[in-house]
Amino acid sequence: MSWIQLRLSANRESASALEDALMEIGAAAVTMEDGADQPVFEPGVGERPVWDSTRVTGLFSADADTDALLVALAASYTAPLPPLKVEILEDRDWIREWMDSYQPIQCGERLWICPSWREPTDANAVNLMLDPGLAFGTGTHPTTFLCLQWLDQQDLTGKTVIDYGCGSGILGIAALLLGAEKMIAVDNDPQALIATRDNAQRNNIAPERVECFLPTQIPENLSGDAVVANILAGPLLELAPQLAGYLAPATPICLSGILHTQGDLLSERYSEWFTDIDRAQREEWLRITGQRKAG
């Protein structure tokens, strides 16, 4: 079926009120989009990112009376309505279009990330078959790519890799396919742990090689041979002593989710526990790696 879209220009103050008004008059869905190419990289905890210039779109059934919708919206929204546009959204197979947008990605000499619904580009490569499902992590984002590239360069044979902030499990599963014996996945979202287990099964990884924990469930004696954490700069700063505590001397750590402007701060913080601090950059994002100091 087709849909009617009401698209309105809003600012940071009016976006939420417009969203409420659209829902009140019967919108099937309301979305907010950046209206001026203003990235929001790291919202605060519990904060929903809203841009200074925001496009608010309400979706309505095609048989709705457009004139009546506009009258109802004007009555529901207490201020004068901002500029708006009425559009017809033709019916499309959105799931198929989403699936078609993901292509296999080469992340090093050995490793490829391949959507589970596609054939691998190189059948002889290390192919991680991935269904992102409800969790973050497809390999397309620079931070994920940087971590995968680093894993591809490591000798992980027989090792235990801790994937802190695992999302879809892509990093820990890649480590297993590259030779690691075990992955320990940690995430504060239960859906991420479900996605991690599902993706491990999809890659024919035995369940006993994957352990999943919420942060509150982490065993006190947890340890690994490598840590990879692709989250955000704020949590990485707070977690530094905890992540360092999981590692023995001369074992590596890989951090990402870091903007290039945050590199000095993170490098200085982790230099208390790690040596050989190194950086790699992709677009505006950094990967920081190091080796655990003795003692």
Side-chain angles (χ1 to χ4, degrees):
M1 62 180 289
S2 299
W3 299 87
I4 295 172
Q5 284 189 149
L6 299 186
R7 309 193 75 169
L8 301 101
S9 300
N11 55 35
R12 188 179 294 272
E13 290 70 34
S14 63
S16 293
L18 281 169
E19 177 188 25
D20 292 342
L22 288 164
M23 292 301 295
E24 186 175 326
I25 67 170
V30 177
T31 59
M32 294 188 189
E33 302 170 89
D34 179 11
D37 193 24
Q38 176 199 4
V40 178
F41 291 114
E42 191 171 346
V45 177
E47 177 184 329
R48 181 175 63 176
V50 179
W51 300 269
D52 292 332
S53 176
T54 301
R55 232 179 1 256
V56 183
T57 303
L59 199 64
F60 298 86
S61 172
D63 58 6
D65 185 327
T66 304
D67 291 337
L69 286 176
L70 296 177
V71 170
L73 181 61
S76 179
Y77 185 63
T78 55
L81 285 177
L84 65 84
K85 189 175 183 181
V86 179
E87 300 174 328
I88 301 298
L89 182 65
E90 297 299 333
D91 189 26
R92 292 156 73 181
D93 187 345
W94 296 106
I95 295 177
R96 172 53 55 188
E97 292 198 16
W98 177 80
M99 292 174 68
D100 288 344
S101 70
Y102 286 103
Q103 304 291 331
I105 304 165
Q106 186 172 11
C107 300
E109 292 184 5
R110 300 175 289 167
L111 180 65
W112 284 75
I113 306 301
C114 185
S116 58
W117 51 88
R118 290 189 177 276
E119 289 295 321
T121 301
D122 181 356
N124 296 318
V126 176
N127 289 299
L128 194 165
M129 308 304 292
L130 181 72
D131 182 354
L134 298 175
F136 172 83
T138 63
T140 58
H141 195 275
T143 61
T144 311
F145 182 90
L146 285 166
C147 291
L148 290 167
Q149 188 180 55
W150 179 83
L151 287 167
D152 183 77
Q153 298 165 355
Q154 307 305 304
D155 179 6
L156 300 172
T157 304
K159 295 182 178 179
T160 295
V161 175
I162 299 172
D163 182 356
Y164 201 103
C166 61
S168 65
I170 184 172
L171 300 181
I173 294 169
L176 292 174
L177 295 176
L178 289 164
E181 178 60 29
K182 185 177 180 181
M183 75 170 286
I184 298 172
V186 179
D187 205 288
N188 59 13
D189 184 351
Q191 293 284 2
L193 302 183
I194 293 171
T196 294
R197 291 191 184 97
D198 288 347
N199 282 318
Q201 183 180 27
R202 183 170 289 107
N203 284 274
N204 300 312
I205 291 169
E208 60 269 21
R209 297 178 65 195
V210 179
E211 290 189 21
C212 295
F213 298 103
L214 295 168
T216 56
Q217 299 172 335
I218 297 174
E220 290 185 6
N221 61 347
L222 181 68
S223 65
D225 302 303
V227 167
V228 59
N230 179 21
I231 38 183
L232 290 170
L236 286 174
L237 287 169
E238 295 179 14
L239 288 166
Q242 181 178 330
L243 298 181
Y246 297 148
L247 293 171
T251 52
I253 193 167
C254 174
L255 311 171
S256 198
I258 304 160
L259 289 168
H260 68 92
T261 55
Q262 301 166 328
D264 289 345
L265 183 62
L266 266 294
S267 296
E268 181 179 355
R269 173 68 164 155
Y270 276 79
S271 65
E272 181 176 345
W273 297 275
F274 294 88
T275 187
D276 299 329
I277 300 291
D278 193 22
R279 304 187 201 181
Q281 184 168 342
R282 188 174 176 89
E283 299 175 14
E284 69 266 47
W285 299 95
L286 285 182
R287 177 187 73 208
I288 295 177
T289 57
Q291 299 288 318
R292 184 70 165 93
K293 292 180 179 178

